[in-house]
Amino acid sequence: MRTSNGMVLWLLLLFSAASSGLLFAFYYSAKHLTNIPARETRSNTSVSYSIKTELPEPLTRKHEPCNHSLVLATQQHYLFKDKFNFTVPVLLYGKLFTQELWERLNQQSAPYGWQGISYQDIVSTLSLLNTSISAQLFDHSTTQHTGCIRCAVVGNGGILNGSRQGAQIDSHDFVFRLNGAVIKGYEKDVGTKTSFYGFTVNTMKNSLKAYKHLGFTSVPKHHDLHYIFIPSNIRDYLMLKSAILGVPVPEGHDKGDKPQTYFGPDASASKFKLLHPEFISYLKERFLKSELIYKKYGYLYMPSTGALILLTALHTCDQVSAYGFMTSNYQQFSDHYYEQKKRPVVFYVNHDLRLESNLWKNLHEAGIMHLYQR
């Protein structure tokens, strides 16, 4: 009987040891899994845990949080929280076109609408911008960038001459340039990287003509670069359509012009972005409603190319730095950084550069963007 009792006791001890080992294993596994760093979600307010293999997510403004996001800065500012509306479509593409949109924009002249432009010209152009790539500034299918989107917008102001900001500009994830973007010979001051080139057909062609002797002989070109059309009038719609189709411009001011001369022979629809007229109108009304509107040539007024491209970046990037834009001491510098002799800044009747300068200063002081100053 004792032997039997001893055997029972021995078995109980063995079972107890085995159970302890299993409990320890479960505890260790649970503790190990809870120590795996959590992947932050785009809402930045909750976390999720997963041991599955994760596929890359689309590149969006809030893919991962920034140390200092401009969206958060706008929400915290007493003035700008009521000005920024990040739900306004930045780009126009085929799927946004409706009869209602046509009727609405047909009441406004370009760049804020389509008054005076034929229905067929609008429809035929937008029908070529018919993929998701045309709807977003950053191409999700090709970019490898998955973090905080840091953008540099490079204007052509004389403040950049001798600035030695080239390396800093190129360190950004995406670099926007515009109009007469001379790079050769000024790499140390303005960098070499270009992700987006913004223009109207008028400003592009005028820049090629006016600054050819200063080194601007061609708009930027390479396979990763995208072009942002600002639809200032019918010329931009016709040039854009012809560029995608690879044919000469069929009519109007640029009739016979070959877009491949500017954008290369293999430029497909995925290379081009078109600012939405209602986005341009929103920018004017919220940020740059100038007193010039009420003067003799007010019908000509529109924000400058630089202003539109910088505000585009501010509505699509997580962090934005502006270089070569007008500052309060602009008189100390030449109009453009690539001029051999100092020239005063030219104030055109169709832009309000002083109003724009005040906006950049206020955005900088609000911590919404960084403005390069000297």
Side-chain angles (χ1 to χ4, degrees):
M1 189 69 179
R2 288 179 184 174
T3 303
S4 177
N5 290 338
M7 182 63 72
V8 171
L9 180 61
W10 184 83
L11 288 172
L12 287 172
L13 289 172
L14 183 62
F15 178 79
S16 177
S19 299
S20 299
L22 288 170
L23 287 172
F24 178 78
F26 283 126
Y27 169 77
Y28 177 79
S29 297
K31 181 176 178 62
H32 177 71
L33 286 174
T34 55
N35 283 334
I36 295 175
R39 179 178 60 85
E40 296 188 24
T41 65
R42 285 181 228 168
S43 66
N44 300 335
T45 58
S46 61
V47 293
S48 62
Y49 300 90
S50 176
I51 58 174
K52 298 178 181 178
T53 301
E54 295 183 77
L55 297 175
E57 294 182 357
L59 180 62
T60 66
R61 169 187 289 283
K62 298 180 181 178
H63 182 87
E64 290 182 6
C66 296
N67 292 332
H68 181 78
S69 168
L70 71 85
V71 175
L72 182 60
T74 61
Q75 293 171 347
Q76 294 176 339
H77 194 270
Y78 73 98
L79 176 62
F80 288 112
K81 68 180 180 180
D82 295 323
K83 288 187 177 293
F84 277 86
N85 181 358
F86 295 105
T87 67
V88 176
V90 174
L91 302 178
L92 180 61
Y93 62 105
K95 291 183 179 180
L96 290 185
F97 182 83
T98 63
Q99 186 64 30
E100 179 185 356
L101 182 66
W102 164 257
E103 292 173 0
R104 190 164 67 243
L105 292 186
N106 199 34
Q107 305 303 311
Q108 299 285 333
S109 59
Y112 314 111
W114 297 328
Q115 193 176 72
I117 303 176
S118 76
Y119 182 91
Q120 182 58 35
D121 284 332
I122 296 299
V123 171
S124 60
T125 300
L126 294 184
S127 67
L128 300 173
L129 300 172
N130 56 7
T131 68
S132 60
I133 293 175
S134 300
Q136 56 206 14
L137 200 62
F138 305 111
D139 189 345
H140 301 180
S141 64
T142 60
T143 183
Q144 300 299 313
H145 186 75
T146 58
C148 176
I149 303 173
R150 299 173 58 253
C151 300
V153 184
V154 185
N156 302 319
I159 192 173
L160 283 176
N161 191 303
S163 66
R164 295 299 185 263
Q165 292 296 302
Q168 183 63 31
I169 289 170
D170 285 345
S171 72
H172 289 75
D173 303 306
F174 300 96
V175 178
F176 295 70
R177 299 184 193 271
L178 52 113
N179 294 344
V182 180
I183 291 178
K184 188 175 181 180
Y186 298 92
E187 294 86 350
K188 290 183 179 180
D189 291 336
V190 303
T192 61
K193 184 176 181 178
T194 307
S195 311
F196 297 94
Y197 174 72
F199 60 96
T200 70
V201 170
N202 185 60
T203 62
M204 178 188 72
K205 296 183 79 168
N206 284 348
S207 295
L208 286 167
K209 182 178 180 180
Y211 310 127
K212 180 178 180 179
H213 68 291
L214 298 175
F216 189 65
T217 58
S218 171
V219 302
K221 295 188 187 78
H222 62 76
H223 68 282
D224 290 330
L225 185 145
H226 292 82
Y227 299 101
I228 303 176
F229 271 81
I230 299 172
S232 64
N233 57 45
I234 190 174
R235 294 176 67 185
D236 300 286
Y237 292 100
L238 293 175
M239 180 68 76
L240 174 56
K241 178 172 66 175
S242 296
I244 296 173
L245 295 175
V247 299
V249 178
E251 59 182 295
H253 189 277
D254 304 296
K255 183 177 180 179
D257 212 354
K258 298 179 179 179
Q260 57 265 37
T261 303
Y262 311 111
F263 313 116
D266 302 316
S268 63
S270 63
K271 295 282 287 184
F272 302 104
K273 312 293 181 181
L274 176 65
L275 287 192
H276 200 306
E278 289 189 323
F279 176 67
I280 300 175
S281 182
Y282 149 77
L283 296 181
K284 181 199 70 171
E285 293 296 323
R286 293 284 187 95
F287 298 95
L288 293 169
K289 194 165 186 178
S290 172
E291 292 296 322
L292 294 178
I293 296 172
Y294 308 108
K295 296 187 178 181
K296 183 178 180 180
Y297 298 103
Y299 64 95
L300 295 174
Y301 173 76
M302 65 177 287
S304 69
T305 305
L308 292 174
I309 296 302
L310 179 48
L311 285 164
T312 294
L314 285 164
H315 282 76
T316 51
C317 305
D318 290 302
Q319 294 180 348
V320 173
S321 297
Y323 301 84
F325 284 79
M326 183 181 288
T327 55
S328 57
N329 59 341
Y330 71 89
Q331 293 177 327
Q332 297 180 20
F333 310 104
S334 189
D335 195 2
H336 301 104
Y337 63 81
Y338 38 77
E339 288 158 343
Q340 302 303 313
K341 295 181 179 180
K342 182 179 177 181
R343 296 175 180 269
V345 174
V346 177
F347 293 90
Y348 295 98
V349 70
N350 60 330
H351 301 316
D352 192 337
L353 298 184
R354 290 186 176 87
L355 178 63
E356 293 178 6
S357 177
N358 288 333
L359 176 61
W360 314 144
K361 178 183 177 182
N362 292 335
L363 287 167
H364 174 81
E365 291 178 349
I368 295 170
M369 76 172 198
H370 170 72
L371 175 66
Y372 173 71
Q373 302 176 77
R374 291 170 68 180

